[in-house]
Amino acid sequence: MNAQSSVPQRRRRQADRREESRERILDAAEALFAKAGFEAVTMRQIANASEVDTALIHYYFGTKAGVVDAVLERRATEVNERRAQSLEAYAKSHAGRMTGPGVVRAYLEPTFSFILDGRPGHRHYGSLIARLNSAPIPEEIGHDSSPFDAVTQRFVELLKDVRPDCDTADLYWFYHLLSGAITLSLAQTGRIDFLSGGLCDSADAATILERMCEVFGKGIEALPPARAEDR
């Protein structure tokens, strides 16, 4: 092998090592953020957990805010794709005959199948989403927008197609309450386990999904129509 042919191979190996280091940093940060929250975790802790120097983290992500953004966006792309594909597939296959329960299930199923599929990284991400939805990220770390905003808006649009008689604000309130149920479910606090005396399991994703589809599917149908003067 001559020197010229070995150069591309060395570059590929270097690129692979960089990508491995980057993923290791994101995995470590994801687990730490899931356990302790965004604000409590330090760059030094992320460096120690990923076995790299803090300088490398700064090189890849700049600041802690950059790490947070990268952690959230890494899996958001796949979650968003799954949600968007599910919603569009349902809208296409049920054109002119969509139902509230159908739209709710099309939105929820890909979320639960991805985040609660048993893989540690996905479960950590579920905890992060619970934190993101339940408390504002400190100003020095985060921002008001979410990587899930576009898919959420599409969900509300489909709800509007199903319930055009509803006040638009009520549809956003509906999403707000649904989001709260998703957040509590992803947090897996164990509270329902205790209250129910073991009848319910906060880690039983399949049952949670079915109950949410039933409750919120009926809930969208039960929303009152807008008053005539508000239409």
Side-chain angles (χ1 to χ4, degrees):
M1 182 182 295
N2 59 45
Q4 286 185 334
S5 63
S6 67
V7 171
Q9 292 185 8
R10 286 201 302 271
R11 288 175 177 171
R12 282 195 295 270
R13 287 197 294 270
Q14 290 172 351
D16 290 342
R17 285 196 293 270
R18 285 195 294 269
E19 183 60 23
E20 288 173 3
S21 296
R22 188 178 187 278
E23 288 299 303
R24 194 164 66 249
I25 292 168
L26 292 178
D27 285 342
E30 185 177 61
L32 289 169
F33 290 148
K35 182 178 181 179
F38 298 104
E39 191 170 16
V41 176
T42 67
M43 294 285 266
R44 171 57 61 186
Q45 288 174 316
I46 297 172
N48 290 340
S50 57
E51 299 180 336
V52 302
D53 191 274
T54 54
L56 188 62
I57 301 178
H58 286 292
Y59 174 76
Y60 285 139
F61 307 105
T63 63
K64 182 177 171 182
V67 177
V68 172
D69 284 342
V71 167
L72 291 175
E73 291 173 3
R74 179 174 61 155
R75 302 198 198 278
T77 298
E78 185 174 352
V79 174
N80 281 334
E81 287 177 354
R82 290 191 184 197
R83 278 177 167 174
Q85 289 172 2
S86 179
L87 289 172
E88 295 311 322
Y90 177 77
K92 183 177 180 179
S93 63
H94 291 74
R97 52 188 180 89
M98 289 192 298
T99 66
V103 174
V104 168
R105 181 175 290 278
Y107 181 75
L108 289 177
E109 278 189 335
T111 304
F112 278 82
S113 66
F114 176 85
I115 293 177
L116 301 179
D117 65 359
R119 284 182 278 181
H122 289 190
R123 286 186 175 271
H124 290 154
Y125 194 70
S127 297
L128 292 188
I129 298 308
R131 288 184 180 278
L132 185 66
N133 286 345
S134 61
I137 298 177
E139 289 184 5
E140 67 273 18
I141 297 177
H143 38 67
D144 293 333
S145 62
S146 161
F148 304 105
D149 286 352
V151 174
T152 298
Q153 294 291 359
R154 181 56 177 154
F155 174 57
V156 173
E157 288 175 5
L158 294 184
L159 292 179
K160 187 67 174 177
D161 287 342
V162 172
R163 290 297 312 274
D165 59 318
C166 278
D167 188 279
T168 300
D170 280 341
L171 298 179
Y172 280 102
W173 280 121
F174 175 85
Y175 167 75
H176 176 75
L177 298 174
L178 175 63
S179 180
I182 295 172
T183 297
L184 185 59
S185 297
L186 295 181
Q188 297 184 51
T189 63
R191 178 66 172 158
I192 189 66
D193 310 52
F194 173 77
L195 288 173
S196 68
L199 292 175
C200 303
D201 179 1
S202 59
D204 185 358
T207 299
I208 293 171
L209 171 62
E210 290 305 314
R211 295 298 176 268
M212 286 182 67
C213 287
E214 291 167 3
V215 171
F216 285 94
K218 295 296 183 182
I220 188 64
E221 294 180 342
L223 287 177
R227 295 175 301 175
E229 59 269 28
D230 291 336
R231 291 182 185 173

